[in-house]
Amino acid sequence: VKHPLQHKWTLWFTKPGSGKGDNWNELLKEVISFDSVEDFWGIYNNITPTSQLALKSDYHLFKTNVRPEWEDPQNKHGGRWSYSFKERKSIDIDSIWLQVLLAAIGETLEDEGDNEVMGVVVNVRRAFFRIGLWTRTVGKSGPGGQRTNEEGKAVLMKIGARFKEVLGVPAEEQVDFMGHTDSAHSGSTRAKAKITI
Ligand code: M7G
């Protein structure tokens, strides 16, 4: 008997492009979906560890039926907590990313009913590994929102704090939150963060 997860998840991979003229859509590939603990380990044990991926690769683990893109209807009002590990050589990115995956599928990043976590991402870049946690809202009572702005912000901050703990980021370091509309308009996801924890 398999142990069911609370949600079904889909793994995506962004393969490194050749540089100029790369099309985001052509590089993003859906890999596989799973909804049990056993299937998660079967997949995890058979994919390339993050530490061995080529530069400009990404893994994305998102709830099934949510594409790991700003444009997805379930992401477009949302944002992302993120942290860049700049000491690429001295950190164990594989165990950090595994903890993030387990927190996502084990639903420990949010409380039942928060309904904010859309997925998690790891970006392999020349100068850093960046791990992100995508949320459905930016902590405001957006369209269909059932929370006040204050409640929304509190849920977002609680999720950010748990994410920071899972990442093992020291208290004095900052984990940043930014809305996807800002990411999309900046042309890069490195624009100034709005909220930090
Ligand atoms: P990144 O991989 O998040 O960060 O975005 P990086 O600058 O450290 O590599 C790199 C580029 O990929 C962006 O400037 C966009 O051109 C493209 N890109 C990334 N994301 C997450 C999206 C997305 O959700 N939708 C679209 N259309 N492009 C994206």
Side-chain angles (χ1 to χ4, degrees):
V1 194
K2 289 182 179 175
H3 296 78
L5 298 171
Q6 201 164 317
H7 286 97
K8 188 169 184 180
W9 296 84
T10 301
L11 179 70
W12 301 70
F13 178 64
T14 304
K15 59 178 188 176
S18 51
K20 263 195 152 220
D22 282 339
N23 186 311
W24 159 261
N25 273 295
E26 284 165 15
L27 300 175
L28 178 65
K29 306 278 180 198
E30 187 175 333
V31 181
I32 197 165
S33 299
F34 58 90
D35 60 6
S36 74
V37 175
E38 289 78 6
D39 289 351
F40 166 74
W41 286 114
I43 293 159
Y44 180 80
N45 289 329
N46 282 288
I47 58 173
T48 306
T50 306
S51 60
Q52 290 172 35
L53 293 177
L55 296 181
K56 299 208 264 170
S57 306
D58 309 318
Y59 278 132
H60 318 253
L61 185 74
F62 274 66
K63 285 180 176 157
T64 298
N65 298 325
V66 183
R67 288 180 63 88
E69 300 181 307
W70 311 316
E71 295 88 348
D72 187 280
Q74 298 195 72
N75 286 324
K76 66 180 182 187
H77 303 291
R80 161 189 95 160
W81 283 107
S82 82
Y83 182 79
S84 297
F85 293 90
K86 298 192 177 81
E87 306 292 317
R88 275 193 44 134
K89 297 224 167 65
S90 59
I91 62 145
D92 183 354
I93 190 62
D94 296 331
S95 55
I96 297 170
W97 176 237
L98 177 58
Q99 292 313 311
V100 171
L101 293 174
L102 293 174
I105 66 175
E107 309 282 342
T108 62
L109 292 165
E110 63 184 346
D111 291 330
E112 217 174 320
D114 284 348
N115 190 24
E116 278 288 336
V117 175
M118 296 285 100
V120 289
V121 184
V122 62
N123 306 125
V124 179
R125 298 294 181 269
R126 190 180 51 79
F128 55 83
F129 291 111
R130 184 203 289 126
I131 297 187
L133 163 60
W134 287 37
T135 57
R136 189 176 54 86
T137 75
V138 295
K140 286 191 214 133
S141 56
Q146 281 125 12
R147 299 181 187 117
T148 64
N149 287 355
E150 252 169 46
E151 288 164 344
K153 177 95 188 282
V155 169
L156 205 66
M157 296 308 285
K158 179 187 65 184
I159 291 169
R162 290 192 189 166
F163 181 51
K164 184 173 184 175
E165 198 182 319
V166 171
L167 293 173
V169 171
E172 66 273 15
E173 292 274 314
Q174 282 187 349
V175 175
D176 301 329
F177 183 86
M178 195 168 64
H180 294 315
T181 45
D182 296 344
S183 302
H185 291 150
S186 72
S188 158
T189 48
R190 290 178 209 131
K192 202 163 163 42
K194 271 200 174 146
I195 311 172
T196 60
I197 196 160

